Amino acid sequence: MSRRIFKAIFLISVFICLVTMVVTAFVLFHFMEKRTQTELKEALELITPGVEEEGNDYLEDLEASHTDRRITWINADGRVLYDNQADAAHMDNHSSREEFQEAVSSGSGSSIRHSDTMMVETIYYAERLPDGTVLRMSSDQDSIWAIFMSLTEPAVVMFMFIVLLSLFLALRVSQSILKPLNELNLEHPENNDTYEELRPLLNKIRTQQDVIREQQRTEMERAEAFRREYTANISHELKTPLTSISGFAELMMDGSVPKSMVKEFSRTIYDEASRLITLVNDIIRLSQLDDRNVEYEWTTVDLYALARENIRVLQAAADRKNVRIYLQGEKSEIRGVHRVLTDVVYNLIDNAIKYNRENGTVEVSVMPESDGRAVCLKVKDTGIGIPEKDLDRIFERFYRVDKSHSKAVGGTGLGLSIVKHGAALHHAKIETSSAVGKGTTIAIHFPDNFINDCTDGN
Ligand code: ADP
């Protein structure tokens, strides 16, 4: 900015000086021309009475005293009667000369003619005498070009001086303009004693700072509330199985458990410990997804193969409930993080089995969407469904529609949160539809900005 202001001031000053020099030269030159014309007129008026009375004799007497000016006496037909600088007998007829014609028609006339080289110009003034003859006087002077040429040297010196002066002034002015700007206190825009024109801008900055501070405060409060709730939830979720493990272990330690019950107690401790491990693993997965500094390994992932693999892993769980899993679609590759996508697919199919009815079905489909670039992963079950009012909340951490049911089927309340964050990492859009008692369909569209309806209602 400093350079721009400096450059602008410098160029403007040099330009103004140059224009001023040229305009002044033209004005002065024009003034000189006018003054010469006036002098010619006055001189001509002085000699006119003598010429009227004595004619050539008078003019010849004058010759000695007016050598710097040319005097020509012209007959009414344009023939030269007398000229103090040339032989009148050999001169051209002057009837076509501008000042002569003007003088004949209106009593007096003037004109300016340039030499062939344009370096000299001749100023003429002519007057008609009572006998119809015309008396003319002329004077040579340097043309404006000749003046410019002769002034070249001083003009260059002057120009250099102007350039230096402009440089100096431009530097000083730009510095003094920018000083208050550089010293602006943007931390506290209201504490500035600066240009009045900047006041609206400073006010705006202050207002925006207030808004940002308020937003930051709200954001921090929200984050803090979220953190507290999340911590409380985690503590609660950890505490329940730990209490149970500790209680059963204590009973067994006391030896107060009959031998026949030891196996059952041990199973309970094992189940609760497994739940704890699953919960802790989910918490770790989520905190990794929350961490913006984690660097993922992005590769090409075939979602169809991934779905097939997860179905294989979950087949035993499905068999226990007599749930049949169908997979349809085709090889569908996206750019993604294999580990995160595995968690997404696993949790969706796991839920579809967990919340299904006996002898129900799960349909998994992986297909490219219409333009061949985006992929839609859809998991549809014939399970208990989700009430409309809960649909928006099931992706929240630890939110369960039916807590006891979730616990009974080994849920942690974090599965869909992992799905949500995993999808967000891949800029994918989630669509959920469900009908209580009929089933649920969750579809994920990869990548973002490509929305195609691949859910079909339940
Ligand atoms: P959980 O570990 O309890 O399954 P999730 O985050 O995976 O936790 O899901 C949150 C809640 O959403 C579940 O407790 C359940 O009530 C509901 N839910 C998720 N998937 C389904 C589904 N396919 N059918 C019915 N309810 C579901």
Side-chain angles (χ1 to χ4, degrees), residues 351-352 354-355 381 384-386 394 396 399-402 406 410-417 440 442:
N351 279 354
K354 277 192 314 196
Y355 300 105
D381 64 55
I384 57 172
I386 303 163
I394 53 172
E396 288 174 20
Y399 188 83
R400 287 126 161 163
V401 177
D402 179 346
S406 164
T412 61
L414 295 176
L416 286 184
S417 298
T440 303
I442 298 183

PDB file of all heavy atoms in Angstrom, residues 351-352 354-355 381 384-386 394 396 399-402 406 410-417 440 442, ligand 1:
ATOM      1  N   ASN A 351     -26.208 -53.122  14.013  1.00  0.00           N
ATOM      2  CA  ASN A 351     -27.492 -52.605  14.508  1.00  0.00           C
ATOM      3  C   ASN A 351     -28.666 -53.281  13.818  1.00  0.00           C
ATOM      4  O   ASN A 351     -29.685 -53.596  14.444  1.00  0.00           O
ATOM      5  CB  ASN A 351     -27.584 -51.090  14.269  1.00  0.00           C
ATOM      6  CG  ASN A 351     -26.841 -50.311  15.340  1.00  0.00           C
ATOM      7  OD1 ASN A 351     -26.358 -50.885  16.305  1.00  0.00           O
ATOM      8  ND2 ASN A 351     -26.751 -49.002  15.163  1.00  0.00           N
ATOM      9  N   ALA A 352     -28.526 -53.467  12.498  1.00  0.00           N
ATOM     10  CA  ALA A 352     -29.631 -54.081  11.736  1.00  0.00           C
ATOM     11  C   ALA A 352     -29.913 -55.496  12.247  1.00  0.00           C
ATOM     12  O   ALA A 352     -31.057 -55.963  12.194  1.00  0.00           O
ATOM     13  CB  ALA A 352     -29.273 -54.104  10.252  1.00  0.00           C
ATOM     14  N   LYS A 354     -28.961 -56.526  15.547  1.00  0.00           N
ATOM     15  CA  LYS A 354     -29.328 -56.382  16.969  1.00  0.00           C
ATOM     16  C   LYS A 354     -30.779 -55.974  17.162  1.00  0.00           C
ATOM     17  O   LYS A 354     -31.462 -56.466  18.054  1.00  0.00           O
ATOM     18  CB  LYS A 354     -28.444 -55.293  17.611  1.00  0.00           C
ATOM     19  CG  LYS A 354     -27.087 -55.785  18.065  1.00  0.00           C
ATOM     20  CD  LYS A 354     -26.347 -54.785  18.940  1.00  0.00           C
ATOM     21  CE  LYS A 354     -26.348 -53.383  18.461  1.00  0.00           C
ATOM     22  NZ  LYS A 354     -25.351 -52.499  19.079  1.00  0.00           N
ATOM     23  N   TYR A 355     -31.231 -55.043  16.333  1.00  0.00           N
ATOM     24  CA  TYR A 355     -32.589 -54.514  16.527  1.00  0.00           C
ATOM     25  C   TYR A 355     -33.594 -55.156  15.577  1.00  0.00           C
ATOM     26  O   TYR A 355     -34.640 -54.601  15.284  1.00  0.00           O
ATOM     27  CB  TYR A 355     -32.581 -52.981  16.386  1.00  0.00           C
ATOM     28  CG  TYR A 355     -31.666 -52.348  17.407  1.00  0.00           C
ATOM     29  CD1 TYR A 355     -30.426 -51.828  17.061  1.00  0.00           C
ATOM     30  CD2 TYR A 355     -32.033 -52.307  18.747  1.00  0.00           C
ATOM     31  CE1 TYR A 355     -29.576 -51.287  18.009  1.00  0.00           C
ATOM     32  CE2 TYR A 355     -31.185 -51.780  19.712  1.00  0.00           C
ATOM     33  CZ  TYR A 355     -29.960 -51.272  19.331  1.00  0.00           C
ATOM     34  OH  TYR A 355     -29.130 -50.757  20.286  1.00  0.00           O
ATOM     35  N   ASP A 381     -33.326 -53.148   7.348  1.00  0.00           N
ATOM     36  CA  ASP A 381     -33.691 -54.321   8.156  1.00  0.00           C
ATOM     37  C   ASP A 381     -35.191 -54.404   8.353  1.00  0.00           C
ATOM     38  O   ASP A 381     -35.936 -53.491   8.003  1.00  0.00           O
ATOM     39  CB  ASP A 381     -32.951 -54.286   9.512  1.00  0.00           C
ATOM     40  CG  ASP A 381     -33.355 -53.101  10.373  1.00  0.00           C
ATOM     41  OD1 ASP A 381     -34.564 -52.933  10.632  1.00  0.00           O
ATOM     42  OD2 ASP A 381     -32.455 -52.318  10.772  1.00  0.00           O
ATOM     43  N   ILE A 384     -37.301 -53.604  14.735  1.00  0.00           N
ATOM     44  CA  ILE A 384     -38.298 -52.927  15.579  1.00  0.00           C
ATOM     45  C   ILE A 384     -38.598 -51.500  15.110  1.00  0.00           C
ATOM     46  O   ILE A 384     -39.615 -50.926  15.475  1.00  0.00           O
ATOM     47  CB  ILE A 384     -37.827 -52.882  17.055  1.00  0.00           C
ATOM     48  CG1 ILE A 384     -36.458 -52.185  17.147  1.00  0.00           C
ATOM     49  CG2 ILE A 384     -37.780 -54.264  17.663  1.00  0.00           C
ATOM     50  CD1 ILE A 384     -36.013 -51.915  18.580  1.00  0.00           C
ATOM     51  N   GLY A 385     -37.722 -50.947  14.309  1.00  0.00           N
ATOM     52  CA  GLY A 385     -37.939 -49.587  13.818  1.00  0.00           C
ATOM     53  C   GLY A 385     -37.631 -48.530  14.874  1.00  0.00           C
ATOM     54  O   GLY A 385     -37.388 -48.855  16.049  1.00  0.00           O
ATOM     55  N   ILE A 386     -37.629 -47.286  14.442  1.00  0.00           N
ATOM     56  CA  ILE A 386     -37.306 -46.165  15.351  1.00  0.00           C
ATOM     57  C   ILE A 386     -38.442 -45.134  15.283  1.00  0.00           C
ATOM     58  O   ILE A 386     -38.825 -44.720  14.186  1.00  0.00           O
ATOM     59  CB  ILE A 386     -35.982 -45.486  14.927  1.00  0.00           C
ATOM     60  CG1 ILE A 386     -34.850 -46.528  14.896  1.00  0.00           C
ATOM     61  CG2 ILE A 386     -35.613 -44.333  15.854  1.00  0.00           C
ATOM     62  CD1 ILE A 386     -33.634 -46.080  14.116  1.00  0.00           C
ATOM     63  N   ILE A 394     -30.730 -40.301  17.230  1.00  0.00           N
ATOM     64  CA  ILE A 394     -30.019 -41.577  17.398  1.00  0.00           C
ATOM     65  C   ILE A 394     -28.526 -41.484  17.089  1.00  0.00           C
ATOM     66  O   ILE A 394     -27.773 -42.375  17.464  1.00  0.00           O
ATOM     67  CB  ILE A 394     -30.648 -42.711  16.538  1.00  0.00           C
ATOM     68  CG1 ILE A 394     -30.756 -42.264  15.082  1.00  0.00           C
ATOM     69  CG2 ILE A 394     -31.981 -43.146  17.110  1.00  0.00           C
ATOM     70  CD1 ILE A 394     -31.189 -43.376  14.141  1.00  0.00           C
ATOM     71  N   GLU A 396     -26.668 -39.125  18.290  1.00  0.00           N
ATOM     72  CA  GLU A 396     -26.007 -38.489  19.437  1.00  0.00           C
ATOM     73  C   GLU A 396     -25.312 -39.554  20.282  1.00  0.00           C
ATOM     74  O   GLU A 396     -25.762 -40.699  20.342  1.00  0.00           O
ATOM     75  CB  GLU A 396     -27.045 -37.790  20.326  1.00  0.00           C
ATOM     76  CG  GLU A 396     -27.613 -36.543  19.700  1.00  0.00           C
ATOM     77  CD  GLU A 396     -28.747 -35.970  20.556  1.00  0.00           C
ATOM     78  OE1 GLU A 396     -28.834 -36.299  21.759  1.00  0.00           O
ATOM     79  OE2 GLU A 396     -29.546 -35.212  19.981  1.00  0.00           O
ATOM     80  N   TYR A 399     -27.130 -41.880  23.050  1.00  0.00           N
ATOM     81  CA  TYR A 399     -28.594 -41.803  22.934  1.00  0.00           C
ATOM     82  C   TYR A 399     -29.131 -43.167  22.500  1.00  0.00           C
ATOM     83  O   TYR A 399     -28.682 -43.739  21.518  1.00  0.00           O
ATOM     84  CB  TYR A 399     -29.014 -40.728  21.928  1.00  0.00           C
ATOM     85  CG  TYR A 399     -30.514 -40.515  21.945  1.00  0.00           C
ATOM     86  CD1 TYR A 399     -31.105 -39.681  22.890  1.00  0.00           C
ATOM     87  CD2 TYR A 399     -31.342 -41.201  21.050  1.00  0.00           C
ATOM     88  CE1 TYR A 399     -32.480 -39.522  22.931  1.00  0.00           C
ATOM     89  CE2 TYR A 399     -32.717 -41.052  21.091  1.00  0.00           C
ATOM     90  CZ  TYR A 399     -33.277 -40.203  22.033  1.00  0.00           C
ATOM     91  OH  TYR A 399     -34.638 -40.064  22.086  1.00  0.00           O
ATOM     92  N   ARG A 400     -30.071 -43.646  23.259  1.00  0.00           N
ATOM     93  CA  ARG A 400     -30.712 -44.907  22.884  1.00  0.00           C
ATOM     94  C   ARG A 400     -32.221 -44.717  22.961  1.00  0.00           C
ATOM     95  O   ARG A 400     -32.719 -44.032  23.841  1.00  0.00           O
ATOM     96  CB  ARG A 400     -30.358 -46.025  23.865  1.00  0.00           C
ATOM     97  CG  ARG A 400     -28.943 -46.536  23.741  1.00  0.00           C
ATOM     98  CD  ARG A 400     -28.315 -46.457  25.067  1.00  0.00           C
ATOM     99  NE  ARG A 400     -27.150 -47.309  25.185  1.00  0.00           N
ATOM    100  CZ  ARG A 400     -26.272 -47.152  26.140  1.00  0.00           C
ATOM    101  NH1 ARG A 400     -26.425 -46.176  27.023  1.00  0.00           N
ATOM    102  NH2 ARG A 400     -25.238 -47.944  26.211  1.00  0.00           N
ATOM    103  N   VAL A 401     -32.910 -45.362  22.028  1.00  0.00           N
ATOM    104  CA  VAL A 401     -34.379 -45.253  22.046  1.00  0.00           C
ATOM    105  C   VAL A 401     -34.895 -46.024  23.264  1.00  0.00           C
ATOM    106  O   VAL A 401     -35.736 -45.540  24.019  1.00  0.00           O
ATOM    107  CB  VAL A 401     -34.981 -45.835  20.747  1.00  0.00           C
ATOM    108  CG1 VAL A 401     -36.513 -45.801  20.785  1.00  0.00           C
ATOM    109  CG2 VAL A 401     -34.442 -45.076  19.542  1.00  0.00           C
ATOM    110  N   ASP A 402     -34.363 -47.191  23.448  1.00  0.00           N
ATOM    111  CA  ASP A 402     -34.778 -48.023  24.581  1.00  0.00           C
ATOM    112  C   ASP A 402     -33.496 -48.532  25.248  1.00  0.00           C
ATOM    113  O   ASP A 402     -32.853 -49.455  24.746  1.00  0.00           O
ATOM    114  CB  ASP A 402     -35.648 -49.188  24.051  1.00  0.00           C
ATOM    115  CG  ASP A 402     -36.097 -50.115  25.176  1.00  0.00           C
ATOM    116  OD1 ASP A 402     -35.531 -50.009  26.292  1.00  0.00           O
ATOM    117  OD2 ASP A 402     -36.985 -50.941  24.923  1.00  0.00           O
ATOM    118  N   SER A 406     -31.131 -51.779  24.399  1.00  0.00           N
ATOM    119  CA  SER A 406     -29.778 -51.591  23.865  1.00  0.00           C
ATOM    120  C   SER A 406     -28.772 -52.373  24.687  1.00  0.00           C
ATOM    121  O   SER A 406     -27.906 -53.059  24.159  1.00  0.00           O
ATOM    122  CB  SER A 406     -29.436 -50.095  23.860  1.00  0.00           C
ATOM    123  OG  SER A 406     -28.061 -49.930  23.715  1.00  0.00           O
ATOM    124  N   GLY A 410     -26.281 -55.677  23.967  1.00  0.00           N
ATOM    125  CA  GLY A 410     -24.837 -55.372  23.987  1.00  0.00           C
ATOM    126  C   GLY A 410     -24.468 -54.055  23.345  1.00  0.00           C
ATOM    127  O   GLY A 410     -23.334 -53.860  22.917  1.00  0.00           O
ATOM    128  N   GLY A 411     -25.435 -53.125  23.289  1.00  0.00           N
ATOM    129  CA  GLY A 411     -25.133 -51.819  22.672  1.00  0.00           C
ATOM    130  C   GLY A 411     -24.366 -50.909  23.612  1.00  0.00           C
ATOM    131  O   GLY A 411     -24.446 -51.028  24.832  1.00  0.00           O
ATOM    132  N   THR A 412     -23.600 -50.004  23.037  1.00  0.00           N
ATOM    133  CA  THR A 412     -22.844 -49.038  23.857  1.00  0.00           C
ATOM    134  C   THR A 412     -23.434 -47.636  23.741  1.00  0.00           C
ATOM    135  O   THR A 412     -23.082 -46.737  24.493  1.00  0.00           O
ATOM    136  CB  THR A 412     -21.377 -48.949  23.381  1.00  0.00           C
ATOM    137  OG1 THR A 412     -21.388 -48.495  22.019  1.00  0.00           O
ATOM    138  CG2 THR A 412     -20.676 -50.273  23.481  1.00  0.00           C
ATOM    139  N   GLY A 413     -24.311 -47.451  22.763  1.00  0.00           N
ATOM    140  CA  GLY A 413     -24.878 -46.108  22.542  1.00  0.00           C
ATOM    141  C   GLY A 413     -23.945 -45.218  21.729  1.00  0.00           C
ATOM    142  O   GLY A 413     -24.213 -44.028  21.545  1.00  0.00           O
ATOM    143  N   LEU A 414     -22.851 -45.793  21.220  1.00  0.00           N
ATOM    144  CA  LEU A 414     -21.887 -44.975  20.469  1.00  0.00           C
ATOM    145  C   LEU A 414     -21.779 -45.372  18.992  1.00  0.00           C
ATOM    146  O   LEU A 414     -21.151 -44.678  18.202  1.00  0.00           O
ATOM    147  CB  LEU A 414     -20.493 -45.085  21.111  1.00  0.00           C
ATOM    148  CG  LEU A 414     -20.369 -44.511  22.518  1.00  0.00           C
ATOM    149  CD1 LEU A 414     -18.983 -44.775  23.070  1.00  0.00           C
ATOM    150  CD2 LEU A 414     -20.642 -43.010  22.522  1.00  0.00           C
ATOM    151  N   GLY A 415     -22.402 -46.504  18.636  1.00  0.00           N
ATOM    152  CA  GLY A 415     -22.253 -47.031  17.272  1.00  0.00           C
ATOM    153  C   GLY A 415     -22.608 -46.023  16.189  1.00  0.00           C
ATOM    154  O   GLY A 415     -21.831 -45.780  15.253  1.00  0.00           O
ATOM    155  N   LEU A 416     -23.789 -45.403  16.306  1.00  0.00           N
ATOM    156  CA  LEU A 416     -24.214 -44.486  15.244  1.00  0.00           C
ATOM    157  C   LEU A 416     -23.433 -43.165  15.267  1.00  0.00           C
ATOM    158  O   LEU A 416     -23.329 -42.488  14.247  1.00  0.00           O
ATOM    159  CB  LEU A 416     -25.726 -44.227  15.326  1.00  0.00           C
ATOM    160  CG  LEU A 416     -26.597 -45.411  14.857  1.00  0.00           C
ATOM    161  CD1 LEU A 416     -28.085 -45.041  14.880  1.00  0.00           C
ATOM    162  CD2 LEU A 416     -26.211 -45.894  13.453  1.00  0.00           C
ATOM    163  N   SER A 417     -22.884 -42.801  16.448  1.00  0.00           N
ATOM    164  CA  SER A 417     -22.021 -41.602  16.488  1.00  0.00           C
ATOM    165  C   SER A 417     -20.770 -41.864  15.668  1.00  0.00           C
ATOM    166  O   SER A 417     -20.289 -40.990  14.937  1.00  0.00           O
ATOM    167  CB  SER A 417     -21.598 -41.277  17.914  1.00  0.00           C
ATOM    168  OG  SER A 417     -22.725 -40.999  18.673  1.00  0.00           O
ATOM    169  N   THR A 440     -35.949 -50.471   9.562  1.00  0.00           N
ATOM    170  CA  THR A 440     -35.182 -49.222   9.402  1.00  0.00           C
ATOM    171  C   THR A 440     -34.278 -49.336   8.188  1.00  0.00           C
ATOM    172  O   THR A 440     -33.757 -50.415   7.903  1.00  0.00           O
ATOM    173  CB  THR A 440     -34.300 -48.995  10.660  1.00  0.00           C
ATOM    174  OG1 THR A 440     -35.152 -48.962  11.807  1.00  0.00           O
ATOM    175  CG2 THR A 440     -33.513 -47.700  10.576  1.00  0.00           C
ATOM    176  N   ILE A 442     -30.934 -47.255   6.603  1.00  0.00           N
ATOM    177  CA  ILE A 442     -29.960 -46.157   6.701  1.00  0.00           C
ATOM    178  C   ILE A 442     -29.095 -46.215   5.442  1.00  0.00           C
ATOM    179  O   ILE A 442     -28.522 -47.263   5.122  1.00  0.00           O
ATOM    180  CB  ILE A 442     -29.091 -46.273   7.972  1.00  0.00           C
ATOM    181  CG1 ILE A 442     -29.997 -46.181   9.212  1.00  0.00           C
ATOM    182  CG2 ILE A 442     -28.035 -45.159   8.007  1.00  0.00           C
ATOM    183  CD1 ILE A 442     -29.273 -46.200  10.542  1.00  0.00           C
TER     184      ILE A 442
HETATM  185  P1  ADP B   1     -26.281 -48.900  20.407  1.00  0.00           P
HETATM  186  O1  ADP B   1     -24.945 -49.332  20.733  1.00  0.00           O
HETATM  187  O2  ADP B   1     -27.194 -48.736  21.558  1.00  0.00           O
HETATM  188  O3  ADP B   1     -26.898 -49.704  19.330  1.00  0.00           O
HETATM  189  P2  ADP B   1     -26.161 -46.839  18.453  1.00  0.00           P
HETATM  190  O4  ADP B   1     -25.514 -45.507  18.497  1.00  0.00           O
HETATM  191  O5  ADP B   1     -25.641 -47.804  17.439  1.00  0.00           O
HETATM  192  O6  ADP B   1     -26.113 -47.406  19.874  1.00  0.00           O
HETATM  193  O7  ADP B   1     -27.674 -46.603  18.150  1.00  0.00           O
HETATM  194  C1  ADP B   1     -28.380 -45.681  18.936  1.00  0.00           C
HETATM  195  C2  ADP B   1     -29.794 -46.147  19.129  1.00  0.00           C
HETATM  196  O8  ADP B   1     -30.501 -46.097  17.924  1.00  0.00           O
HETATM  197  C3  ADP B   1     -29.890 -47.575  19.562  1.00  0.00           C
HETATM  198  O9  ADP B   1     -29.814 -47.697  20.945  1.00  0.00           O
HETATM  199  C4  ADP B   1     -31.254 -47.961  19.051  1.00  0.00           C
HETATM  200  O10 ADP B   1     -32.233 -47.571  19.967  1.00  0.00           O
HETATM  201  C5  ADP B   1     -31.407 -47.129  17.792  1.00  0.00           C
HETATM  202  N1  ADP B   1     -31.110 -47.904  16.582  1.00  0.00           N
HETATM  203  C6  ADP B   1     -29.955 -47.888  15.909  1.00  0.00           C
HETATM  204  N2  ADP B   1     -30.027 -48.694  14.817  1.00  0.00           N
HETATM  205  C7  ADP B   1     -31.261 -49.199  14.808  1.00  0.00           C
HETATM  206  C8  ADP B   1     -31.967 -50.085  13.931  1.00  0.00           C
HETATM  207  N3  ADP B   1     -31.408 -50.609  12.853  1.00  0.00           N
HETATM  208  N4  ADP B   1     -33.227 -50.390  14.236  1.00  0.00           N
HETATM  209  C9  ADP B   1     -33.842 -49.875  15.321  1.00  0.00           C
HETATM  210  N5  ADP B   1     -33.237 -49.054  16.182  1.00  0.00           N
HETATM  211  C10 ADP B   1     -31.954 -48.708  15.928  1.00  0.00           C
END
